[in-house]
Coordinates of all heavy atoms in Angstrom, one line a residue:
M1116 N 7.9 2.8 -12.2 CA 8.4 3.7 -11.2 C 7.4 3.9 -10.1 O 7.4 4.9 -9.4 CB 8.8 5.0 -11.8 CG 9.8 4.9 -13.0 SD 11.2 4.0 -12.6 CE 12.2 5.1 -11.7
S1117 N 6.6 2.9 -9.9 CA 5.6 3.0 -8.8 C 6.3 2.8 -7.4 O 7.2 2.0 -7.3 CB 4.6 2.0 -9.0 OG 3.8 1.8 -7.8
P1118 N 5.9 3.6 -6.4 CA 6.5 3.4 -5.1 C 6.0 2.0 -4.5 O 6.4 1.6 -3.4 CB 6.0 4.6 -4.3 CG 4.7 5.0 -5.0 CD 4.9 4.7 -6.4
S1119 N 5.0 1.4 -5.1 CA 4.4 0.2 -4.6 C 5.1 -1.0 -5.1 O 4.6 -1.7 -5.9 CB 2.9 0.2 -4.9 OG 2.7 0.3 -6.3
G1120 N 6.3 -1.2 -4.7 CA 7.1 -2.3 -5.2 C 7.0 -3.5 -4.3 O 6.1 -3.6 -3.5
A1121 N 8.0 -4.4 -4.4 CA 7.9 -5.6 -3.6 C 8.2 -5.4 -2.1 O 8.0 -6.3 -1.3 CB 9.0 -6.6 -4.2
S1122 N 8.6 -4.2 -1.8 CA 9.0 -3.9 -0.4 C 7.8 -3.5 0.4 O 7.9 -3.1 1.6 CB 10.0 -2.8 -0.3 OG 9.5 -1.6 -0.9
Q1123 N 6.6 -3.5 -0.1 CA 5.4 -3.1 0.6 C 5.2 -4.0 1.8 O 5.3 -5.2 1.7 CB 4.1 -3.3 -0.3 CG 3.8 -2.2 -1.2 CD 2.5 -2.4 -1.8 OE1 1.5 -2.0 -1.2 NE2 2.4 -3.0 -2.9
P1124 N 4.8 -3.4 2.9 CA 4.5 -4.2 4.1 C 3.2 -5.0 3.9 O 2.4 -4.6 3.0 CB 4.3 -3.2 5.2 CG 3.9 -1.9 4.5 CD 4.6 -2.0 3.1
R1125 N 3.1 -6.1 4.6 CA 1.8 -6.8 4.5 C 0.8 -6.1 5.5 O 1.2 -5.6 6.5 CB 2.1 -8.3 4.9 CG 2.7 -9.0 3.8 CD 2.5 -10.5 4.0 NE 3.6 -11.0 4.8 CZ 3.6 -12.3 5.3 NH1 2.7 -13.1 5.0 NH2 4.6 -12.7 6.0
P1126 N -0.4 -6.2 5.1 CA -1.4 -5.6 6.0 C -1.6 -6.3 7.3 O -1.3 -7.5 7.4 CB -2.7 -5.6 5.2 CG -2.5 -6.8 4.3 CD -1.0 -6.9 3.9
S1127 N -1.9 -5.6 8.3 CA -2.2 -6.3 9.6 C -3.3 -5.5 10.3 O -3.6 -4.4 9.9 CB -0.9 -6.3 10.5 OG -0.5 -5.0 10.7
V1128 N -4.0 -6.2 11.2 CA -5.2 -5.6 11.9 C -4.8 -4.3 12.5 O -3.8 -4.2 13.2 CB -5.7 -6.7 12.9 CG1 -6.8 -6.0 13.8 CG2 -6.2 -7.9 12.2
G1129 N -5.6 -3.3 12.3 CA -5.5 -2.0 12.8 C -4.7 -1.0 11.9 O -4.7 0.2 12.3
R1130 N -4.1 -1.5 10.9 CA -3.4 -0.6 10.0 C -4.4 0.3 9.2 O -5.5 -0.1 8.9 CB -2.6 -1.3 8.9 CG -1.4 -2.1 9.5 CD -0.3 -1.2 10.1 NE 0.3 -0.3 9.2 CZ 1.3 -0.5 8.4 NH1 1.9 -1.7 8.5 NH2 1.8 0.4 7.6
A1131 N -4.0 1.5 9.0 CA -4.8 2.5 8.2 C -4.5 2.3 6.7 O -3.3 2.4 6.3 CB -4.5 3.9 8.6
V1132 N -5.5 2.1 5.9 CA -5.3 2.0 4.4 C -6.3 2.9 3.7 O -7.1 3.5 4.4 CB -5.4 0.5 4.0 CG1 -4.4 -0.3 4.7 CG2 -6.8 0.0 4.3
H1133 N -6.3 2.8 2.4 CA -7.4 3.5 1.6 C -8.3 2.4 1.0 O -7.8 1.4 0.5 CB -6.8 4.3 0.5 CG -6.3 5.6 0.9 ND1 -5.7 6.6 0.1 CD2 -6.3 6.2 2.2 CE1 -5.4 7.6 0.8 NE2 -5.7 7.5 2.0
Y1134 N -9.5 2.7 1.0 CA -10.5 1.9 0.3 C -11.0 2.7 -0.9 O -11.3 4.0 -0.7 CB -11.7 1.5 1.2 CG -12.9 0.9 0.5 CD1 -12.9 -0.4 0.2 CD2 -14.0 1.7 0.1 CE1 -14.0 -1.0 -0.5 CE2 -15.0 1.1 -0.5 CZ -15.0 -0.2 -0.8 OH -16.1 -0.8 -1.5
V1135 N -11.1 2.1 -2.1 CA -11.6 2.9 -3.2 C -13.1 2.7 -3.4 O -13.6 1.5 -3.6 CB -10.9 2.4 -4.5 CG1 -11.4 3.3 -5.7 CG2 -9.4 2.6 -4.4
S1136 N -13.8 3.8 -3.3 CA -15.3 3.7 -3.4 C -15.7 3.4 -4.8 O -15.0 3.6 -5.7 CB -15.9 5.0 -2.9 OG -15.7 6.0 -3.9
H1137 N -16.9 2.8 -4.9 CA -17.4 2.5 -6.2 C -18.1 3.8 -6.7 O -18.9 4.3 -6.0 CB -18.5 1.4 -6.2 CG -17.9 0.1 -5.9 ND1 -17.4 -0.7 -6.8 CD2 -17.8 -0.6 -4.7 CE1 -17.0 -1.8 -6.3 NE2 -17.2 -1.8 -5.0
G1138 N -17.7 4.3 -7.9 CA -18.4 5.4 -8.4 C -19.7 5.0 -9.1 O -19.9 3.8 -9.3
T1139 N -20.5 6.0 -9.4 CA -21.7 5.7 -10.1 C -21.4 5.5 -11.6 O -20.3 6.0 -12.1 CB -22.7 6.8 -9.9 OG1 -22.1 8.1 -10.3 CG2 -23.2 6.9 -8.5
P1140 N -22.3 4.9 -12.4 CA -21.9 4.6 -13.8 C -21.7 5.9 -14.6 O -22.3 6.9 -14.3 CB -23.2 3.9 -14.3 CG -23.8 3.3 -13.1 CD -23.5 4.3 -12.0
V1141 N -20.9 5.8 -15.6 CA -20.7 7.0 -16.5 C -21.9 7.2 -17.3 O -22.5 6.3 -17.9 CB -19.4 6.7 -17.4 CG1 -19.2 7.9 -18.3 CG2 -18.2 6.4 -16.5
R1142 N -22.3 8.5 -17.4 CA -23.5 8.8 -18.2 C -23.2 8.9 -19.6 O -22.0 8.9 -20.0 CB -24.1 10.2 -17.7 CG -24.5 10.3 -16.3 CD -25.1 11.6 -16.0 NE -25.5 11.9 -14.6 CZ -24.9 12.8 -13.9 NH1 -23.9 13.5 -14.4 NH2 -25.2 12.9 -12.6
E1143 N -24.2 9.0 -20.5 CA -24.0 9.1 -21.9 C -23.1 10.3 -22.3 O -22.3 10.2 -23.2 CB -25.3 9.2 -22.7 CG -25.9 7.8 -22.9 CD -27.1 7.9 -23.8 OE1 -27.2 8.8 -24.7 OE2 -28.1 7.1 -23.6
D1144 N -23.2 11.4 -21.5 CA -22.3 12.5 -21.9 C -20.9 12.4 -21.2 O -20.2 13.4 -21.3 CB -23.0 13.8 -21.4 CG -23.2 13.9 -19.9 OD1 -22.7 13.0 -19.2 OD2 -23.7 14.9 -19.4
G1145 N -20.6 11.3 -20.6 CA -19.3 11.1 -20.0 C -19.2 11.6 -18.6 O -18.1 11.3 -18.0
S1146 N -20.2 12.3 -18.0 CA -20.1 12.7 -16.7 C -20.5 11.6 -15.7 O -21.1 10.6 -16.1 CB -20.9 14.0 -16.5 OG -22.3 13.6 -16.6
R1147 N -20.2 11.8 -14.4 CA -20.6 10.9 -13.4 C -21.2 11.7 -12.2 O -20.6 12.7 -11.9 CB -19.5 10.0 -13.0 CG -18.8 9.2 -14.0 CD -17.6 8.5 -13.5 NE -17.9 7.3 -12.8 CZ -17.0 6.4 -12.4 NH1 -15.7 6.6 -12.7 NH2 -17.4 5.3 -11.8
A1148 N -22.2 11.1 -11.6 CA -22.7 11.8 -10.4 C -21.7 11.7 -9.2 O -21.4 12.6 -8.5 CB -24.0 11.1 -9.9
Y1149 N -21.0 10.5 -9.1 CA -20.0 10.3 -8.1 C -18.9 9.5 -8.8 O -19.1 8.5 -9.4 CB -20.5 9.5 -6.9 CG -21.6 10.2 -6.1 CD1 -23.0 9.9 -6.4 CD2 -21.3 11.2 -5.2 CE1 -24.0 10.6 -5.7 CE2 -22.3 11.8 -4.5 CZ -23.6 11.6 -4.7 OH -24.6 12.2 -4.1
T1150 N -17.7 10.0 -8.6 CA -16.5 9.3 -9.1 C -15.9 8.4 -8.0 O -16.3 8.6 -6.8 CB -15.4 10.3 -9.6 OG1 -15.1 11.1 -8.5 CG2 -15.9 11.0 -10.8
S1151 N -15.1 7.5 -8.4 CA -14.4 6.7 -7.4 C -13.4 7.6 -6.6 O -12.7 8.3 -7.2 CB -13.5 5.6 -8.1 OG -14.2 4.4 -8.2
V1152 N -13.4 7.4 -5.3 CA -12.5 8.2 -4.5 C -11.9 7.3 -3.4 O -12.5 6.3 -3.0 CB -13.2 9.4 -3.8 CG1 -13.7 10.4 -4.8 CG2 -14.3 9.0 -2.9
C1153 N -10.8 7.8 -2.9 CA -10.1 7.1 -1.7 C -10.9 7.4 -0.5 O -11.2 8.6 -0.2 CB -8.7 7.5 -1.6 SG -7.6 7.0 -2.9
R1154 N -11.1 6.4 0.3 CA -11.7 6.6 1.7 C -10.8 6.0 2.7 O -10.1 5.0 2.4 CB -13.1 5.9 1.7 CG -14.2 6.5 0.8 CD -14.5 7.9 1.2 NE -15.7 8.3 0.5 CZ -16.0 9.6 0.2 NH1 -15.1 10.6 0.6 NH2 -17.0 10.0 -0.4
A1155 N -10.8 6.7 3.9 CA -10.0 6.1 5.0 C -10.6 4.8 5.4 O -11.8 4.7 5.4 CB -10.0 7.1 6.1
A1156 N -9.8 3.9 5.7 CA -10.3 2.6 6.2 C -9.3 1.9 7.2 O -8.1 2.2 7.1 CB -10.4 1.6 5.0
T1157 N -9.8 1.1 8.0 CA -9.0 0.4 9.0 C -9.1 -1.1 8.7 O -10.2 -1.6 8.5 CB -9.5 0.7 10.4 OG1 -9.4 2.1 10.7 CG2 -8.6 0.0 11.5
V1158 N -8.0 -1.8 8.7 CA -8.0 -3.3 8.5 C -8.5 -3.9 9.8 O -8.0 -3.7 10.9 CB -6.5 -3.8 8.2 CG1 -6.5 -5.3 8.1 CG2 -6.0 -3.1 7.0
T1159 N -9.6 -4.7 9.6 CA -10.2 -5.4 10.7 C -9.9 -6.8 10.8 O -10.0 -7.5 11.9 CB -11.8 -5.3 10.6 OG1 -12.2 -5.8 9.4 CG2 -12.2 -3.8 10.8
E1160 N -9.4 -7.5 9.7 CA -9.0 -8.8 9.6 C -8.2 -9.1 8.4 O -8.3 -8.3 7.4 CB -10.2 -9.8 9.7 CG -11.3 -9.5 8.7 CD -12.6 -10.3 8.9 OE1 -12.5 -11.3 9.5 OE2 -13.6 -9.8 8.4
V1161 N -7.3 -10.1 8.4 CA -6.5 -10.4 7.2 C -6.8 -11.9 6.9 O -6.7 -12.7 7.8 CB -5.0 -10.2 7.5 CG1 -4.2 -10.5 6.3 CG2 -4.8 -8.7 7.9
D1162 N -7.0 -12.2 5.6 CA -7.2 -13.6 5.2 C -5.9 -14.4 5.4 O -4.9 -14.0 4.9 CB -7.5 -13.6 3.7 CG -7.9 -14.9 3.2 OD1 -7.5 -15.9 3.8 OD2 -8.6 -15.0 2.1
P1163 N -5.9 -15.4 6.3 CA -4.7 -16.1 6.6 C -4.2 -16.9 5.3 O -3.0 -17.2 5.3 CB -5.1 -17.1 7.7 CG -6.6 -17.2 7.6 CD -7.1 -15.9 7.0
Q1164 N -5.0 -17.1 4.3 CA -4.6 -17.8 3.1 C -4.0 -16.8 2.1 O -3.4 -17.2 1.1 CB -5.7 -18.6 2.5 CG -6.5 -19.5 3.4 CD -5.6 -20.5 4.1 OE1 -4.8 -21.0 3.4 NE2 -5.9 -20.8 5.3
D1165 N -4.4 -15.5 2.2 CA -4.1 -14.6 1.2 C -4.0 -13.2 1.8 O -5.0 -12.5 2.0 CB -5.1 -14.6 0.1 CG -4.9 -13.5 -1.0 OD1 -3.9 -12.8 -1.0 OD2 -5.8 -13.4 -1.9
S1166 N -2.8 -12.7 2.2 CA -2.7 -11.5 3.0 C -3.0 -10.3 2.2 O -3.1 -9.2 2.7 CB -1.3 -11.4 3.6 OG -0.3 -11.3 2.5
D1167 N -3.3 -10.4 0.9 CA -3.7 -9.3 0.1 C -5.2 -9.0 0.2 O -5.8 -8.0 -0.2 CB -3.4 -9.5 -1.4 CG -2.0 -9.0 -1.8 OD1 -1.3 -8.5 -0.9 OD2 -1.6 -9.2 -2.9
R1168 N -5.9 -10.0 0.8 CA -7.4 -9.9 1.0 C -7.6 -9.6 2.5 O -7.2 -10.4 3.4 CB -8.1 -11.2 0.6 CG -9.6 -11.0 0.3 CD -10.1 -12.2 -0.4 NE -10.3 -13.3 0.5 CZ -11.4 -13.6 1.1 NH1 -12.4 -12.8 1.0 NH2 -11.5 -14.6 1.9
V1169 N -8.3 -8.5 2.7 CA -8.5 -8.1 4.1 C -10.0 -7.7 4.3 O -10.7 -7.4 3.4 CB -7.6 -6.8 4.4 CG1 -6.2 -7.1 4.2 CG2 -8.1 -5.6 3.6
G1170 N -10.4 -7.7 5.6 CA -11.7 -7.1 6.0 C -11.4 -5.7 6.4 O -10.4 -5.3 6.9
L1171 N -12.3 -4.8 6.0 CA -12.1 -3.3 6.3 C -13.3 -2.7 7.0 O -14.5 -3.1 6.7 CB -11.9 -2.6 5.0 CG -10.6 -2.8 4.2 CD1 -10.7 -2.0 2.9 CD2 -9.4 -2.6 4.9
A1172 N -13.0 -1.7 7.8 CA -14.0 -0.8 8.3 C -13.7 0.5 7.5 O -12.6 1.1 7.7 CB -13.9 -0.5 9.8
V1173 N -14.7 0.9 6.7 CA -14.4 2.1 5.8 C -15.1 3.3 6.4 O -16.3 3.3 6.7 CB -15.0 1.8 4.3 CG1 -14.8 3.0 3.5 CG2 -14.3 0.6 3.7
H1174 N -14.3 4.3 6.5 CA -14.8 5.5 7.2 C -15.2 6.6 6.1 O -14.4 7.4 5.7 CB -13.7 6.1 8.1 CG -13.1 5.0 9.0 ND1 -13.9 4.4 9.9 CD2 -11.9 4.5 9.0 CE1 -13.1 3.5 10.5 NE2 -11.9 3.6 10.0
N1175 N -16.4 6.5 5.7 CA -17.0 7.5 4.8 C -17.4 8.7 5.6 O -17.6 8.6 6.8 CB -18.2 7.0 4.1 CG -17.9 5.8 3.1 OD1 -17.4 6.1 2.0 ND2 -18.2 4.6 3.5
P1176 N -17.4 9.9 4.9 CA -17.8 11.1 5.7 C -19.2 11.0 6.4 O -19.4 11.5 7.4 CB -17.9 12.2 4.6 CG -16.9 11.7 3.5 CD -17.1 10.2 3.5
G1177 N -20.1 10.2 5.8 CA -21.4 10.0 6.4 C -21.6 8.8 7.3 O -22.7 8.6 7.8
G1178 N -20.6 8.0 7.4 CA -20.7 6.8 8.3 C -19.7 5.8 8.0 O -19.0 5.9 7.0
T1179 N -19.6 4.8 8.9 CA -18.7 3.7 8.7 C -19.4 2.5 8.2 O -20.5 2.1 8.6 CB -18.0 3.4 10.1 OG1 -17.3 4.5 10.5 CG2 -17.1 2.2 10.0
F1180 N -18.7 1.9 7.2 CA -19.3 0.7 6.5 C -18.3 -0.4 6.6 O -17.1 -0.2 6.6 CB -19.6 1.0 5.0 CG -20.7 2.0 4.9 CD1 -20.4 3.4 4.9 CD2 -22.0 1.6 4.7 CE1 -21.4 4.3 4.8 CE2 -23.0 2.5 4.6 CZ -22.7 3.9 4.6
F1181 N -18.8 -1.6 6.8 CA -17.9 -2.8 7.0 C -17.9 -3.7 5.8 O -19.0 -4.0 5.2 CB -18.4 -3.5 8.3 CG -18.3 -2.7 9.5 CD1 -19.4 -1.9 10.0 CD2 -17.1 -2.5 10.2 CE1 -19.3 -1.1 11.1 CE2 -17.0 -1.7 11.3 CZ -18.1 -1.0 11.8
H1182 N -16.7 -4.2 5.5 CA -16.5 -5.2 4.4 C -15.8 -6.4 5.0 O -14.6 -6.5 4.8 CB -15.8 -4.5 3.3 CG -16.5 -3.4 2.6 ND1 -17.4 -3.5 1.6 CD2 -16.4 -2.0 2.9 CE1 -17.8 -2.3 1.2 NE2 -17.3 -1.4 2.0
P1183 N -16.5 -7.2 5.7 CA -15.8 -8.4 6.4 C -15.4 -9.4 5.4 O -15.9 -9.5 4.3 CB -16.8 -8.9 7.3 CG -18.2 -8.5 6.7 CD -17.9 -7.2 6.0
L1184 N -14.4 -10.3 5.8 CA -14.0 -11.4 4.9 C -15.2 -12.3 4.6 O -15.3 -12.9 3.6 CB -12.8 -12.2 5.6 CG -11.5 -11.5 5.6 CD1 -10.5 -12.4 6.4 CD2 -11.0 -11.1 4.3
A1185 N -16.0 -12.4 5.6 CA -17.2 -13.3 5.5 C -18.1 -12.9 4.3 O -18.8 -13.7 3.7 CB -18.0 -13.4 6.7
A1186 N -18.0 -11.6 3.9 CA -18.7 -11.1 2.8 C -17.8 -10.9 1.5 O -18.2 -10.2 0.6 CB -19.4 -9.8 3.1
G1187 N -16.6 -11.5 1.6 CA -15.7 -11.4 0.5 C -14.5 -10.5 0.7 O -13.5 -10.6 0.0
G1188 N -14.6 -9.6 1.6 CA -13.5 -8.7 2.0 C -13.1 -7.9 0.8 O -13.9 -7.6 -0.1
C1189 N -11.9 -7.3 0.8 CA -11.4 -6.4 -0.2 C -10.0 -6.9 -0.6 O -9.2 -7.2 0.2 CB -11.3 -5.0 0.3 SG -12.9 -4.3 0.9
T1190 N -9.8 -6.9 -1.9 CA -8.4 -7.3 -2.4 C -7.6 -6.0 -2.7 O -8.1 -4.9 -2.9 CB -8.6 -8.1 -3.7 OG1 -9.3 -7.3 -4.7 CG2 -9.3 -9.4 -3.5
H1191 N -6.3 -6.3 -2.6 CA -5.3 -5.2 -2.8 C -5.2 -4.8 -4.3 O -5.2 -5.7 -5.2 CB -3.9 -5.6 -2.3 CG -2.9 -4.5 -2.5 ND1 -2.0 -4.6 -3.5 CD2 -2.7 -3.4 -1.8 CE1 -1.2 -3.5 -3.4 NE2 -1.6 -2.8 -2.4
A1192 N -5.1 -3.5 -4.6 CA -4.8 -3.1 -6.0 C -3.9 -1.9 -5.8 O -4.2 -0.9 -5.2 CB -6.1 -2.7 -6.7
A1193 N -2.7 -2.0 -6.4 CA -1.7 -0.9 -6.2 C -2.1 0.3 -7.0 O -2.7 0.2 -8.1 CB -0.3 -1.4 -6.7
V1194 N -1.7 1.5 -6.5 CA -1.9 2.7 -7.2 C -0.7 2.8 -8.2 O 0.4 2.7 -7.8 CB -1.9 3.9 -6.3 CG1 -2.0 5.2 -7.1 CG2 -3.0 3.8 -5.3
D1195 N -1.1 2.9 -9.5 CA 0.0 2.9 -10.5 C -0.3 3.9 -11.5 O -1.1 3.7 -12.4 CB 0.0 1.5 -11.1 CG 1.3 1.3 -12.0 OD1 2.2 2.2 -11.9 OD2 1.3 0.4 -12.8
G1196 N 0.2 5.1 -11.4 CA 0.0 6.2 -12.3 C -1.2 7.0 -12.0 O -1.7 7.1 -10.9
E1197 N -1.8 7.5 -13.1 CA -2.9 8.4 -12.9 C -4.3 7.7 -12.6 O -5.1 8.3 -11.9 CB -3.1 9.2 -14.2 CG -1.9 10.0 -14.7 CD -1.6 11.1 -13.8 OE1 -2.4 11.9 -13.5 OE2 -0.4 11.2 -13.3
Q1198 N -4.4 6.6 -13.1 CA -5.7 5.9 -12.9 C -5.9 5.4 -11.5 O -5.1 4.8 -10.9 CB -5.8 4.7 -13.9 CG -5.9 5.1 -15.4 CD -7.2 5.8 -15.7 OE1 -8.2 5.6 -15.1 NE2 -7.0 6.8 -16.6
P1199 N -7.1 5.8 -10.9 CA -7.3 5.2 -9.6 C -7.6 3.7 -9.7 O -8.1 3.2 -10.7 CB -8.6 5.9 -9.1 CG -9.3 6.4 -10.4 CD -8.2 6.6 -11.4
P1200 N -7.2 2.9 -8.7 CA -7.5 1.5 -8.7 C -9.0 1.3 -8.8 O -9.8 2.2 -8.6 CB -6.9 1.0 -7.4 CG -6.0 2.0 -6.9 CD -6.5 3.3 -7.5
A1201 N -9.4 0.1 -9.1 CA -10.8 -0.3 -9.2 C -11.5 -0.1 -7.9 O -11.0 -0.2 -6.8 CB -10.9 -1.7 -9.7
G1202 N -12.8 0.3 -8.0 CA -13.6 0.4 -6.8 C -13.7 -0.9 -6.1 O -13.7 -2.0 -6.7
G1203 N -13.8 -0.8 -4.8 CA -13.9 -2.0 -3.9 C -12.5 -2.6 -3.5 O -12.5 -3.6 -2.8
T1204 N -11.4 -2.0 -4.0 CA -10.1 -2.5 -3.6 C -9.5 -1.6 -2.5 O -10.0 -0.5 -2.2 CB -9.2 -2.5 -4.8 OG1 -9.0 -1.2 -5.3 CG2 -9.7 -3.4 -5.9
W1205 N -8.4 -2.1 -2.0 CA -7.7 -1.2 -1.0 C -6.2 -1.0 -1.4 O -5.7 -1.8 -2.2 CB -7.7 -1.9 0.4 CG -6.9 -3.1 0.5 CD1 -7.2 -4.4 0.3 CD2 -5.5 -3.2 1.0 NE1 -6.2 -5.2 0.5 CE2 -5.1 -4.5 0.9 CE3 -4.5 -2.2 1.4 CZ2 -3.8 -4.9 1.2 CZ3 -3.3 -2.6 1.7 CH2 -2.9 -3.9 1.7
H1206 N -5.6 0.0 -0.9 CA -4.1 0.2 -1.1 C -3.6 1.0 0.0 O -4.3 1.6 0.8 CB -3.9 1.0 -2.5 CG -4.7 2.3 -2.6 ND1 -5.9 2.3 -3.1 CD2 -4.4 3.5 -2.2 CE1 -6.4 3.6 -3.1 NE2 -5.4 4.3 -2.6
W1207 N -2.3 1.0 0.1 CA -1.6 1.9 1.1 C -1.8 3.3 0.8 O -1.8 3.7 -0.4 CB -0.1 1.5 1.2 CG 0.1 0.1 1.7 CD1 0.6 -0.9 0.9 CD2 -0.1 -0.4 3.0 NE1 0.6 -2.0 1.6 CE2 0.2 -1.8 2.9 CE3 -0.6 0.1 4.2 CZ2 0.1 -2.6 4.0 CZ3 -0.7 -0.7 5.3 CH2 -0.4 -2.1 5.2
P1208 N -2.0 4.2 1.8 CA -2.3 5.6 1.5 C -1.1 6.2 0.7 O 0.0 5.9 1.0 CB -2.4 6.2 2.9 CG -2.9 5.1 3.8 CD -2.2 3.9 3.2
E1209 N -1.5 7.0 -0.3 CA -0.5 7.7 -1.1 C 0.3 8.6 -0.3 O -0.2 9.3 0.7 CB -1.2 8.5 -2.2 CG -1.9 7.7 -3.3 CD -3.4 7.3 -2.9 OE1 -3.7 7.5 -1.7 OE2 -4.1 6.9 -3.7
V1210 N 1.6 8.7 -0.6 CA 2.4 9.7 0.1 C 2.3 11.1 -0.6 O 2.5 11.1 -1.8 CB 3.9 9.3 0.1 CG1 4.8 10.3 0.7 CG2 4.1 7.9 0.8
V1211 N 1.9 12.1 0.1 CA 1.7 13.4 -0.5 C 2.6 14.4 0.1 O 3.1 14.2 1.2 CB 0.2 13.8 -0.4 CG1 -0.7 13.0 -1.3 CG2 -0.3 13.9 1.0
Ligands
ZN2651 ZN1 -5.7 6.3 -2.0

């Protein structure tokens, strides 16, 4: 029952998406210094061979970081239920 079905638009340059930050490793007691969170991001380029892979400018609170296709870009991972998608992926912003 995910809203991210086959009707999703394809990404294009300038679209606003979410980038999932990499959290820090889980400690032995199960806690983490930083968990994975959604960050605002802008699509800067789209892989012509694979429109799920994009370059992003990620707008963190402390600065903007770039993930160009030349460095691998970011692949799409749908939000499905409670678990956040893997760090380093992008998705369409959740409707709240
Ligand atoms: Zn998100």
Side-chain angles (χ1 to χ4, degrees):
M1116 304 308 281
S1117 165
S1119 55
S1122 61
Q1123 276 192 85
R1125 283 197 275 171
S1127 57
V1128 171
R1130 293 294 300 271
V1132 299
H1133 281 180
Y1134 169 83
V1135 182
S1136 69
H1137 291 279
T1139 51
V1141 178
R1142 300 185 186 112
E1143 276 188 31
D1144 66 359
S1146 67
R1147 300 173 81 170
Y1149 296 98
T1150 56
S1151 267
V1152 295
C1153 293
R1154 294 296 189 204
T1157 303
V1158 176
T1159 56
E1160 51 189 340
V1161 180
D1162 186 339
Q1164 311 299 324
D1165 176 6
S1166 63
D1167 275 354
R1168 201 167 74 90
V1169 302
L1171 294 177
V1173 178
H1174 313 296
N1175 290 286
T1179 297
F1180 294 84
F1181 297 95
H1182 297 271
L1184 288 179
C1189 301
T1190 55
H1191 178 259
V1194 177
D1195 191 15
E1197 303 292 307
Q1198 291 296 323
T1204 63
W1205 72 271
H1206 54 271
W1207 297 109
E1209 294 85 348
V1210 177
V1211 292

